[in-house]
Amino acid sequence: MLDIQNMRDDRNVPIRKVGVKGLRYPIVLLDKANTVQHTTALVNLYADLPHDFKGTHMSRFIEVFDAHRRDLSMPRFLRMLEEIRSSLDAENAYADIHFPYFIEKRAPVSGQAAMMSYDCGYSGMVGPEGKKDFEVLVSVPIQTVCPCSKAISDRGAHNQRGVVTLKVALGPFFWIEDLVALVEASASSGVYTLLKREDEKFVTEAAFDNPRFVEDLVREVYVGVAALGKFPSFSVEAENFESIHNHSAYAFVEYP
Amino acid sequence: MLDIQNMRDDRNVPIRKVGVKGLRYPIVLLDKANTVQHTTALVNLYADLPHDFKGTHMSRFIEVFDAHRRDLSMPRFLRMLEEIRSSLDAENAYADIHFPYFIEKRAPVSGQAAMMSYDCGYSGMVGPEGKKDFEVLVSVPIQTVCPCSKAISDRGAHNQRGVVTLKVALGPFFWIEDLVALVEASASSGVYTLLKREDEKFVTEAAFDNPRFVEDLVREVYVGVAALGKFPSFSVEAENFESIHNHSAYAFVEYP
Amino acid sequence: MLDIQNMRDDRNVPIRKVGVKGLRYPIVLLDKANTVQHTTALVNLYADLPHDFKGTHMSRFIEVFDAHRRDLSMPRFLRMLEEIRSSLDAENAYADIHFPYFIEKRAPVSGQAAMMSYDCGYSGMVGPEGKKDFEVLVSVPIQTVCPCSKAISDRGAHNQRGVVTLKVALGPFFWIEDLVALVEASASSGVYTLLKREDEKFVTEAAFDNPRFVEDLVREVYVGVAALGKFPSFSVEAENFESIHNHSAYAFVEYP
Amino acid sequence: MLDIQNMRDDRNVPIRKVGVKGLRYPIVLLDKANTVQHTTALVNLYADLPHDFKGTHMSRFIEVFDAHRRDLSMPRFLRMLEEIRSSLDAENAYADIHFPYFIEKRAPVSGQAAMMSYDCGYSGMVGPEGKKDFEVLVSVPIQTVCPCSKAISDRGAHNQRGVVTLKVALGPFFWIEDLVALVEASASSGVYTLLKREDEKFVTEAAFDNPRFVEDLVREVYVGVAALGKFPSFSVEAENFESIHNHSAYAFVEYP
């Protein structure tokens, strides 16, 4: 059977990335509290293609990913990338996956527990001579009370849900759970799936006592993550779904 | 050239709706302040198909819609549906379109103006013997302050952006602008694109003085719309993007 | 502590549905091949509220759902609804959940296996005197070759991915897997996550030999589901992401 | 009234970008065929903030943008950015906007006309000493016939809708219309809003005669854009909504 993909291409245009995009797959990850976690991922897998080859072999990306889906801890993710690289005979292989990560969270006063969902992701590449990049993305919904609104108003203060997206480059091993806790502690308050009335009172007052601009939020997270001294580089993005506008307030910082 | 669509089908299954979906088109509407408004719409157009015909003629939907795009006021929308019905020789024709509708809005103290965007839609059908339905959908972003949080907390009260979706069946002519104003007046506060500090103080205090559950919101809008006595039927839906949760609070009422 | 929700409301507007919307949760379902399946769901939970009560108690929805997340088979879903109903002292309780459902699927010639993801959902209500509704939604991506294009062209035929959404009202127990197979057999071809070249040849030729309009697709599925004689009512919707247009072709049928 | 934003911040974290995100606004652009085009945009506006200021002044972004919405041709977009920069006393100002851009397109045989919608965007920044960046994004839906499927199958060939996203850095003035035409000519076929049967035959055969992998597509566009010699840098991304899979094939190239 003809292998058109293996034919020669003479347009002299090397392809930076070619592969499969938008694959949805069940995966298993490490979980700090429960050893493993089952979740569902949106998956993109790419490799480069030299200028003189006509096409890549798309099915190989799937074969490699499928073989790793039952253990996609961070070190295994890089091993999966190495296998894509060798299976496709590519110089560089790339992958990014996004998934909801679930953590049981207790209400601050009643102690009642329910699951919180955090949008997370891995993004990585491996290349020749051990070259590799690995970035973990953690999105944390939080509450912010506006310091300006509180200062200038005779009563109340506008507040809203926001989301902080933290991206860290891989250094030593870490738990997503610990980054989530750091972000939640940097906001006016964390948000919860289940709150009884005594919890709602606590959260309302705690948030009112800790007003935060979107600018404060990214700075607090920046200072906290930098203090960990674990990550060679990172960025922090915050988006507030303003309760007084129909658009968001946004801030972004990066290190270094 | 063969006309496969016109062939006979013997599976004996009449098709309720067949047509084109997800068309994006520039349209022109009536505007209370500026006579006309240019906006962009997502368009679905359908007709029924008797059990003994194999297929519909998709291009005719586009031909009819294109001819009407420069004037899609409410009466013209129904005329467009009549033309689809006759062009396709169908018993019933259906259309729904969704579009952002823009209204200039002034800040409550400074008076500064900017554009607000409201998600709106028309949904209609025409059938034999003058049968017709027409529904207008208006989505209005608003602010709510939680009455429970305010009552039980020593200071502050959680608040958030919400969105109220009002659907009204057509009676006499009305302006989208008037329904928007009614919904905004039913909330703890309207939201604004542009607020200076004096406006932010005003909005914060006004909202704090008018706490509303999602249940209050749909009831207030219900009472207001019913009092107009203009619409044979309507429904009101409210969704609050809770600032203390990562999910929404939701309420729905309908008349009659 | 004040219970504002329990206060009296005198606007005389009963609320059809009030509750929580957009909750994301890990759930466990029954799986034909593997006994259980872990997946992630988007969850909406509602109850009605009599005209004389000011508000519902949102946290109770979460408490009940959380207690059932480790077994959300169809019968348990209705039991969960019963508990919401009694926990909130409501006349009617409503829930709908949407989740990707994963089935391992083998390529038609090489037999290589990979996971396919199908968007599915449960939607139900329970009311007084044993009144209940339960509907299962199954969305199946498929391929269609256009019969008109094939008939009038000297070579080739345009084809595309489409998606069929089947909703069935609950009769006796059934497997999602069996409905998926029925829909795939009604299309020009099923789609696959992993195909080797011999599979691609097979799929291309099989689809070319079985051209289907979007009208054919909903009729074939209708006839197949009706022949099962299992469901008191059902509907079939098909959307083709036309390869020659930037919009979709759409068809919809319902029984009875 | 207190100006909290103007207070001193001592955390020593400069903010790369802060501003408003997700604003929806009506805008007016230049149009090759009709002089001007009304459309609707999603707008993000940012500036940097030195480490020693607590907050930015969000309302000024809106004031500046609102003043420019009636003429957002490319040169005016950069002038708008200059005004944000000076209004906020920032070192750098950033903006990106996304909008559907509409072009009337005629069917290839019948000549019948209808509107096509193309997702487009501007992304720019201005900084000190005349530093500036400006990038235009043009997304063009197209059709691809798979060369492998055609070569190995006895009849037919799978094909699908795809979308090519071209991003070009600003050199001399150019029309979006010309880039759209170049991309459509690089695919197996363009797609159309309105096709009669004679057009469908033409498009089917033309596409079948011009099979293209996603790799071919990005290379063809690359060669065509490079030959224009107009853009200091550009990238081309193609995504095919595979008709035999439930995921996409993807390729990406960039110059230089």
Side-chain angles (χ1 to χ4, degrees), chain B residues 2 24 63 112 119 197, chain D residues 2 24 63 112 119 197:
Chain B
L2 263 172
R24 211 154 45 146
E63 289 170 315
Q112 276 199 256
D119 289 321
R197 250 168 324 138
Chain D
L2 263 172
R24 212 156 43 146
E63 290 171 314
Q112 277 200 256
D119 289 321
R197 249 167 325 136

Side-chain angles (χ1 to χ4, degrees), chain D residues 34-48:
Chain D
N34 307 296
T35 317
V36 296
Q37 173 165 157
H38 295 82
T39 188
T40 63
L42 202 64
V43 178
N44 303 327
L45 306 167
Y46 311 125
D48 54 10

Side-chain angles (χ1 to χ4, degrees), chain C residues 167-225:
Chain C
K167 293 179 187 170
V168 298
L170 202 65
F173 180 81
F174 63 93
W175 289 105
I176 285 176
E177 286 81 347
D178 298 339
L179 295 180
V180 166
L182 186 155
V183 172
E184 291 180 343
S186 302
S188 294
S189 170
V191 301
Y192 298 82
T193 301
L194 174 50
L195 293 173
K196 305 305 288 184
R197 250 169 322 138
E198 58 268 36
D199 302 308
E200 187 171 352
K201 173 180 163 61
F202 179 91
V203 168
T204 301
E205 294 170 358
F208 192 76
D209 294 341
N210 288 285
R212 292 276 189 281
F213 283 130
V214 76
E215 294 94 329
D216 293 314
L217 200 48
V218 295
R219 280 170 165 154
E220 288 292 309
V221 175
Y222 181 104
V223 168
V225 175

